[in-house]
């Protein structure tokens, strides 16, 4: 576990921030940026995303109402016969059903039929309620950190030993609802990432290329000389927020920082991904086009620990401090 997230002084600070009648979100963001103690993560994430209100008196009532609203949506849109769906809706549901088994394939927990059913319900309900984008491949990955964090309130031990087959329908529905609303809040801040042609992602990939050129000219020139386009590898990074690139046990720690960034997240992703890419600056400069494509498709992160991730994040933070005040280099 990341030591910073669990040291007793930090736990005390989190406890103090969360125990007041009114949570000061700015202070919670500052704390959460460096990692949230795992058992506090469900509450902290709900607060950071604005799903749970900062006022503790209102919190329980708001969550109860939102969970019932999700249940109504499922009954209205998902639990209906195909004869009541349009052709587009049937196709969308089919695509989601195909993608769910492919989601985080190396974590056995996500291969359980009931878990895939929950994913399917959350994704289909979200897509129907967000017709501007509908379902886009990649959004299935974005549900997984929420699912694991909100399940951790009910299940103990390692995710490798988890099963939801003994959980009540009510508990599963509450967890799904929390995933649904948190996914909605996250994607509200990056709507044009998933609309037609995904212009938000195209824009950030361009900014990434410009930032890398400014930070590490040699690797930037080498990639250009070899004819490597950033869209060939970085599109997936932005589309799935790195979930497919690092070991799954590190994802929730990474997402502490994502959610702490709040509305500034899309721009900060550019710095995180530049830091991530330049971890392999020396290696990349020795590879030709084909080798680079292969290397970037299968990055050697399988043995990463929290230490490597913290290095990527702290470097991103420093570069953001250096370059973000002079963003002319990132103009389109």
């Amino acid at each position: 576990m990341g030591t910073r997230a669990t040291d007793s002084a930090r736990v005390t600070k989190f406890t103090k921030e969360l125990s007041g009648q009114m949570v000061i979100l700015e202070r919670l963001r500052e704390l959460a940026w460096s990692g949230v103690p795992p058992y506090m993560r469900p509450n902290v994430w709900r607060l950071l995303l604005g799903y749970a209100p900062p006022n503790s008196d209102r919190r329980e009532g708001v969550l109860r109402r939102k969970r019932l609203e999700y249940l109504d949506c499922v009954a209205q849109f998902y639990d209906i016969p195909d004869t009541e769906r349009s052709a587009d809706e049937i196709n969308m549901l089919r695509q989601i059903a195909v993608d769910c088994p492919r989601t985080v394939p190396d974590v056995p927990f996500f291969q359980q039929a009931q878990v895939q059913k929950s994913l399917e319900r959350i994704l289909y309900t979200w897509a129907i309620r967000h017709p501007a984008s509908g379902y886009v491949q990649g959004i299935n990955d974005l549900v997984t950190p929420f699912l694991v964090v909100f399940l951790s309130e009910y299940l103990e031990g390692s995710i490798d030993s988890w099963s939801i087959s003994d959980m009540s329908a009510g508990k599963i529905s509450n967890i799904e609802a929390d995933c649904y609303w948190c996914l909605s809040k996250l994607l509200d801040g990056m709507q044009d990432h998933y609309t037609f042609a995904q212009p938000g992602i195209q824009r950030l990939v361009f900014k990434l290329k410009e930032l890398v050129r400014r930070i590490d000219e040699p690797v930037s020139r080498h990639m250009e000389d070899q004819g490597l386009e950033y869209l060939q590898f970085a599109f997936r990074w932005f589309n799935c927020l790195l979930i497919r690139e690092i070991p799954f046990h590190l994802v929730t720690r990474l997402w502490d920082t994502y959610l702490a960034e709040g509305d500034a997240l899309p721009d900060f992703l550019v710095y995180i991904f530049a830091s991530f890419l330049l971890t392999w600056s020396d290696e990349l400069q020795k590879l030709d086009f084909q080798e680079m494509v292969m290397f970037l498709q299968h990055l050697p992160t399988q043995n990463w620990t929290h230490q490597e991730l913290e290095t990527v994040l702290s470097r991103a933070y420093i570069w953001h401090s250096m370059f973000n005040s002079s963003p002319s280099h990132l103009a389109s």
Side-chain angles (χ1 to χ4, degrees):
M1 195 54 236
T3 47
R4 284 160 82 193
T6 48
D7 75 47
S8 60
R10 282 179 54 73
V11 169
T12 305
K13 283 181 184 169
F14 271 104
T15 306
K16 185 166 174 274
E17 287 306 327
L18 294 170
S19 60
Q21 191 192 350
M22 195 75 180
V23 173
I24 311 298
L25 286 175
E26 224 22 71
R27 289 215 291 262
L28 189 62
R29 284 188 196 289
E30 278 176 33
L31 276 176
W33 203 98
S34 304
V36 180
Y39 71 97
M40 293 181 171
R41 210 169 250 142
N43 286 328
V44 170
W45 280 19
R46 284 191 281 256
L47 285 159
L48 289 176
L49 283 159
Y51 167 47
N55 183 330
S56 62
D57 292 344
R58 292 184 51 234
R59 208 165 295 152
E60 209 177 309
V62 167
L63 292 182
R64 194 182 309 117
R65 195 179 75 243
K66 296 299 249 184
R67 287 163 178 168
L68 284 170
E69 192 181 328
Y70 170 76
L71 210 53
D72 285 347
C73 288
V74 170
Q76 191 181 340
F77 303 121
Y78 182 83
D79 293 334
I80 57 171
D82 277 355
T83 49
E84 292 179 31
R85 300 185 215 275
S86 69
D88 284 349
E89 287 167 355
I90 288 172
N91 286 335
M92 189 162 69
L93 186 53
R94 280 200 189 123
Q95 184 60 60
I96 290 169
V98 166
D99 286 351
C100 284
R102 298 173 178 167
T103 307
V104 200
D106 49 345
V107 177
F109 172 72
F110 289 107
Q111 300 311 304
Q112 295 175 26
Q114 263 189 294
V115 175
Q116 291 181 9
K117 211 67 188 155
S118 282
L119 265 178
E120 189 178 294
R121 264 193 298 270
I122 296 162
L123 289 164
Y124 184 75
T125 307
W126 183 87
I128 290 286
R129 294 283 303 269
H130 295 79
S133 63
Y135 173 71
V136 177
Q137 285 178 298
I139 297 180
N140 52 316
D141 292 76
L142 305 188
V143 181
T144 57
F146 295 128
L147 200 52
V148 167
V149 165
F150 296 131
L151 273 166
S152 73
E153 291 186 286
Y154 300 93
L155 299 172
E156 292 178 341
S158 157
I159 184 174
D160 301 331
S161 62
W162 282 7
S163 166
I164 62 170
S165 55
D166 298 332
M167 287 179 78
S168 70
K171 278 181 185 169
I172 290 175
S173 174
N174 285 349
I175 291 162
E176 285 181 21
D178 288 4
C179 293
Y180 168 83
W181 290 111
C182 287
L183 177 72
S184 301
K185 294 283 189 186
L186 175 73
L187 294 184
D188 281 351
M190 37 177 97
Q191 282 180 335
D192 64 350
H193 288 212
Y194 299 99
T195 50
F196 178 71
Q198 302 184 251
I201 291 182
Q202 307 257 6
R203 191 175 62 246
L204 292 181
V205 169
F206 175 80
K207 285 185 172 184
L208 174 65
K209 182 180 179 178
E210 292 299 297
L211 181 62
V212 169
R213 191 175 68 189
R214 185 154 184 197
I215 293 169
D216 190 333
E217 216 272 331
V219 81
S220 171
R221 193 171 55 241
H222 177 70
M223 289 164 76
E224 208 158 302
D225 290 347
Q226 291 296 321
L228 183 70
E229 289 292 334
Y230 276 68
L231 277 172
Q232 289 171 289
F233 62 90
F235 188 87
R236 183 172 82 183
W237 297 4
F238 285 105
N239 199 45
C240 307
L241 299 183
L242 282 196
I243 286 177
R244 297 188 188 182
E245 318 309 321
I246 62 172
F248 192 73
H249 69 91
L250 297 177
V251 167
T252 47
R253 165 62 197 96
L254 174 61
W255 280 49
D256 291 337
T257 299
Y258 285 175
L259 303 187
E261 280 290 322
D263 294 340
L265 175 61
D267 282 332
F268 194 68
L269 288 174
V270 174
Y271 289 87
I272 295 179
F273 296 177
S275 177
F276 184 66
L277 174 67
L278 293 176
T279 302
W280 298 281
S281 171
D282 295 345
E283 289 90 331
L284 288 167
Q285 289 177 63
K286 298 174 190 145
L287 305 177
D288 65 21
F289 172 80
Q290 201 54 52
E291 290 166 337
M292 267 196 289
V293 170
M294 287 304 293
F295 184 77
L296 289 163
Q297 287 292 330
H298 307 281
L299 287 164
T301 58
Q302 60 274 17
N303 297 321
W304 270 30
T305 64
H306 282 265
Q307 199 175 347
E308 285 85 359
L309 182 60
E310 296 297 343
T311 303
V312 166
L313 292 174
S314 51
R315 202 165 43 206
Y317 182 84
I318 292 164
W319 289 343
H320 184 259
S321 312
M322 286 167 63
F323 296 124
N324 201 50
S325 53
S326 55
S328 56
H329 65 294
L330 297 183
S332 53

